[in-house]
Short mmCIF file of all heavy atoms in Angstrom, two decimals:
data_model
loop_
_atom_site.label_atom_id
_atom_site.label_comp_id
_atom_site.label_asym_id
_atom_site.label_seq_id
_atom_site.Cartn_x
_atom_site.Cartn_y
_atom_site.Cartn_z
N THR H 378 -87.18 -46.62 55.95
CA THR H 378 -87.50 -46.16 54.60
C THR H 378 -87.14 -44.70 54.44
O THR H 378 -86.53 -44.28 53.44
CB THR H 378 -89.00 -46.36 54.31
OG1 THR H 378 -89.36 -47.71 54.59
CG2 THR H 378 -89.32 -46.07 52.85
N ASP H 379 -87.50 -43.88 55.42
CA ASP H 379 -87.20 -42.45 55.37
C ASP H 379 -85.69 -42.20 55.34
O ASP H 379 -85.22 -41.24 54.71
CB ASP H 379 -87.80 -41.72 56.58
CG ASP H 379 -89.33 -41.69 56.54
OD1 ASP H 379 -89.89 -41.90 55.44
OD2 ASP H 379 -89.94 -41.47 57.60
N ALA H 380 -84.92 -43.09 55.99
CA ALA H 380 -83.46 -42.94 56.03
C ALA H 380 -82.79 -43.47 54.77
O ALA H 380 -81.57 -43.36 54.62
CB ALA H 380 -82.90 -43.66 57.25
N GLY H 381 -83.57 -44.05 53.86
CA GLY H 381 -83.01 -44.60 52.63
C GLY H 381 -82.33 -45.94 52.80
O GLY H 381 -81.61 -46.39 51.91
N LEU H 382 -82.58 -46.61 53.92
CA LEU H 382 -81.96 -47.91 54.16
C LEU H 382 -82.65 -49.03 53.39
O LEU H 382 -82.03 -50.03 53.05
CB LEU H 382 -81.96 -48.24 55.66
CG LEU H 382 -81.15 -47.30 56.56
CD1 LEU H 382 -81.33 -47.68 58.01
CD2 LEU H 382 -79.67 -47.33 56.17
N ILE H 383 -83.95 -48.88 53.15
CA ILE H 383 -84.70 -49.85 52.37
C ILE H 383 -85.59 -49.11 51.39
O ILE H 383 -85.96 -47.95 51.62
CB ILE H 383 -85.54 -50.80 53.26
CG1 ILE H 383 -86.53 -50.01 54.13
CG2 ILE H 383 -84.66 -51.67 54.12
CD1 ILE H 383 -87.42 -50.89 54.98
N THR H 384 -85.93 -49.77 50.31
CA THR H 384 -86.76 -49.14 49.29
C THR H 384 -88.23 -49.17 49.69
O THR H 384 -88.65 -49.94 50.54
CB THR H 384 -86.61 -49.88 47.94
OG1 THR H 384 -87.13 -51.21 48.09
CG2 THR H 384 -85.16 -49.94 47.50
N ALA H 385 -89.00 -48.33 49.05
CA ALA H 385 -90.43 -48.27 49.32
C ALA H 385 -91.10 -49.60 48.98
O ALA H 385 -92.04 -50.04 49.66
CB ALA H 385 -91.07 -47.13 48.53
N GLU H 386 -90.63 -50.26 47.92
CA GLU H 386 -91.21 -51.55 47.52
C GLU H 386 -91.00 -52.60 48.60
O GLU H 386 -91.94 -53.32 48.98
CB GLU H 386 -90.58 -52.03 46.21
CG GLU H 386 -91.15 -53.35 45.71
CD GLU H 386 -90.43 -53.86 44.47
OE1 GLU H 386 -89.45 -53.23 44.04
OE2 GLU H 386 -90.85 -54.90 43.94
N LEU H 387 -89.77 -52.68 49.14
CA LEU H 387 -89.51 -53.63 50.21
C LEU H 387 -90.29 -53.26 51.47
O LEU H 387 -90.83 -54.13 52.16
CB LEU H 387 -88.01 -53.67 50.52
CG LEU H 387 -87.13 -54.54 49.62
CD1 LEU H 387 -85.67 -54.34 49.97
CD2 LEU H 387 -87.51 -56.01 49.75
N ALA H 388 -90.36 -51.97 51.77
CA ALA H 388 -91.09 -51.52 52.95
C ALA H 388 -92.55 -51.93 52.87
O ALA H 388 -93.15 -52.35 53.88
CB ALA H 388 -90.97 -50.01 53.11
N ALA H 389 -93.16 -51.82 51.70
CA ALA H 389 -94.57 -52.19 51.53
C ALA H 389 -94.77 -53.68 51.78
O ALA H 389 -95.75 -54.09 52.42
CB ALA H 389 -95.04 -51.81 50.14
N GLU H 390 -93.82 -54.50 51.31
CA GLU H 390 -93.93 -55.95 51.53
C GLU H 390 -93.77 -56.29 53.01
O GLU H 390 -94.49 -57.13 53.56
CB GLU H 390 -92.89 -56.69 50.69
CG GLU H 390 -93.05 -58.19 50.68
CD GLU H 390 -94.19 -58.68 49.80
OE1 GLU H 390 -95.21 -57.97 49.64
OE2 GLU H 390 -94.09 -59.79 49.29
N LEU H 391 -92.83 -55.62 53.67
CA LEU H 391 -92.64 -55.85 55.10
C LEU H 391 -93.88 -55.44 55.89
O LEU H 391 -94.28 -56.12 56.84
CB LEU H 391 -91.43 -55.05 55.61
CG LEU H 391 -90.07 -55.39 55.00
CD1 LEU H 391 -89.02 -54.45 55.56
CD2 LEU H 391 -89.69 -56.84 55.25
N ASP H 392 -94.48 -54.35 55.48
CA ASP H 392 -95.65 -53.87 56.20
C ASP H 392 -96.84 -54.80 56.02
O ASP H 392 -97.68 -54.93 56.92
CB ASP H 392 -96.01 -52.45 55.75
CG ASP H 392 -96.75 -51.68 56.84
OD1 ASP H 392 -96.27 -51.68 57.99
OD2 ASP H 392 -97.81 -51.10 56.55
N ARG H 393 -96.91 -55.47 54.85
CA ARG H 393 -97.97 -56.46 54.67
C ARG H 393 -97.81 -57.61 55.67
O ARG H 393 -98.79 -58.14 56.19
CB ARG H 393 -97.97 -56.97 53.23
CG ARG H 393 -98.63 -56.01 52.24
CD ARG H 393 -98.79 -56.63 50.87
NE ARG H 393 -97.56 -56.57 50.10
CZ ARG H 393 -97.23 -55.57 49.31
NH1 ARG H 393 -98.03 -54.52 49.17
NH2 ARG H 393 -96.11 -55.59 48.61
N GLY H 394 -96.56 -58.00 55.92
CA GLY H 394 -96.31 -59.03 56.92
C GLY H 394 -96.70 -58.57 58.31
O GLY H 394 -97.30 -59.33 59.09
N ARG H 395 -96.38 -57.32 58.62
CA ARG H 395 -96.74 -56.77 59.94
C ARG H 395 -98.26 -56.73 60.12
O ARG H 395 -98.79 -57.10 61.17
CB ARG H 395 -96.16 -55.36 60.09
CG ARG H 395 -96.53 -54.69 61.41
CD ARG H 395 -96.20 -53.21 61.37
NE ARG H 395 -97.00 -52.49 60.40
CZ ARG H 395 -98.25 -52.07 60.63
NH1 ARG H 395 -98.85 -52.34 61.77
NH2 ARG H 395 -98.90 -51.39 59.70
N LEU H 396 -98.97 -56.28 59.09
CA LEU H 396 -100.43 -56.21 59.18
C LEU H 396 -101.04 -57.61 59.34
O LEU H 396 -102.02 -57.78 60.08
CB LEU H 396 -100.98 -55.52 57.93
CG LEU H 396 -100.71 -54.01 57.82
CD1 LEU H 396 -101.10 -53.50 56.45
CD2 LEU H 396 -101.47 -53.26 58.90
N LEU H 397 -100.45 -58.58 58.65
CA LEU H 397 -100.94 -59.95 58.79
C LEU H 397 -100.76 -60.43 60.23
O LEU H 397 -101.67 -61.03 60.82
CB LEU H 397 -100.18 -60.87 57.84
CG LEU H 397 -100.45 -62.38 58.01
CD1 LEU H 397 -101.91 -62.71 57.70
CD2 LEU H 397 -99.52 -63.18 57.11
N ARG H 398 -99.59 -60.16 60.80
CA ARG H 398 -99.33 -60.55 62.19
C ARG H 398 -100.36 -59.91 63.12
O ARG H 398 -100.89 -60.57 64.03
CB ARG H 398 -97.92 -60.12 62.60
CG ARG H 398 -97.53 -60.50 64.01
CD ARG H 398 -96.27 -59.79 64.45
NE ARG H 398 -96.47 -58.34 64.52
CZ ARG H 398 -95.51 -57.48 64.86
NH1 ARG H 398 -94.30 -57.94 65.13
NH2 ARG H 398 -95.75 -56.19 64.93
N ASP H 399 -100.66 -58.63 62.90
CA ASP H 399 -101.63 -57.95 63.77
C ASP H 399 -103.02 -58.54 63.62
O ASP H 399 -103.75 -58.71 64.60
CB ASP H 399 -101.66 -56.45 63.43
CG ASP H 399 -100.36 -55.74 63.81
OD1 ASP H 399 -99.54 -56.35 64.53
OD2 ASP H 399 -100.16 -54.59 63.38
N ARG H 400 -103.41 -58.88 62.39
CA ARG H 400 -104.74 -59.46 62.17
C ARG H 400 -104.85 -60.84 62.81
O ARG H 400 -105.90 -61.21 63.34
CB ARG H 400 -105.05 -59.53 60.67
CG ARG H 400 -105.27 -58.18 60.02
CD ARG H 400 -105.93 -58.32 58.67
NE ARG H 400 -105.13 -59.07 57.73
CZ ARG H 400 -104.22 -58.53 56.91
NH1 ARG H 400 -104.02 -57.22 56.93
NH2 ARG H 400 -103.55 -59.28 56.07
N LEU H 401 -103.76 -61.59 62.77
CA LEU H 401 -103.76 -62.89 63.43
C LEU H 401 -103.93 -62.72 64.95
O LEU H 401 -104.69 -63.46 65.59
CB LEU H 401 -102.45 -63.63 63.14
CG LEU H 401 -102.30 -64.23 61.73
CD1 LEU H 401 -100.85 -64.59 61.48
CD2 LEU H 401 -103.18 -65.46 61.59
N ALA H 402 -103.23 -61.75 65.52
CA ALA H 402 -103.32 -61.52 66.96
C ALA H 402 -104.72 -61.07 67.37
O ALA H 402 -105.18 -61.38 68.47
CB ALA H 402 -102.29 -60.46 67.37
N GLN H 403 -105.39 -60.37 66.47
CA GLN H 403 -106.73 -59.86 66.75
C GLN H 403 -107.83 -60.88 66.43
O GLN H 403 -109.01 -60.62 66.67
CB GLN H 403 -106.97 -58.58 65.95
CG GLN H 403 -106.06 -57.43 66.35
CD GLN H 403 -105.93 -56.37 65.26
OE1 GLN H 403 -106.61 -56.46 64.23
NE2 GLN H 403 -105.08 -55.39 65.48
#
Side-chain angles (χ1 to χ4, degrees):
T378 308
D379 292 341
L382 296 176
I383 58 177
T384 65
E386 181 184 4
L387 278 174
E390 189 75 330
L391 298 177
D392 206 49
R393 282 188 279 271
R395 178 193 65 82
L396 289 171
L397 172 64
R398 181 193 64 181
D399 292 348
R400 290 196 298 271
L401 285 165
Q403 295 159 5

